[in-house]
Amino acid sequence: MEGCWMVERSNLRVAPRWRKSSASDVDGDCVEVAGDGRSVLVRDSRDPDGGLLALSSAQWRLMLGAIRNGDLDGR
């Protein structure tokens, strides 16, 4: 996916302020997002010490549009 990349935690300038969707399921399984001033960071809420995905603002908007349209529902 053009515009996204994996981020090393050691390369972050400040500690991200993670947000979880209010639409998370009862077990809290979801992704969390944070902005770092340059991109939108995404992580798995079940693995907060795992990998971070960074999306450009354009890539983030495209992904949100695809989610809203149901393009990622796997049907």
Side-chain angles (χ1 to χ4, degrees):
M1 180 185 306
E2 186 179 329
C4 76
W5 57 96
M6 294 299 291
V7 174
E8 293 291 330
R9 289 183 187 328
S10 61
N11 292 335
L12 296 176
R13 295 180 288 179
V14 296
R17 296 178 74 178
W18 295 100
R19 296 186 320 243
K20 189 182 296 189
S21 170
S22 60
S24 300
D25 72 13
V26 143
D27 296 324
D29 293 343
C30 70
V31 296
E32 295 174 317
V33 298
D36 76 347
R38 299 173 292 184
S39 55
V40 177
L41 302 174
V42 182
R43 73 177 181 182
D44 183 343
S45 65
R46 295 173 294 169
D47 188 13
D49 296 322
L52 302 176
L53 181 65
L55 301 167
S56 69
S57 57
Q59 216 40 51
W60 177 247
R61 286 190 304 273
L62 284 171
M63 186 179 77
L64 289 180
I67 291 168
R68 287 183 187 118
N69 291 335
D71 297 339
L72 305 175
D73 289 348
R75 294 179 207 171

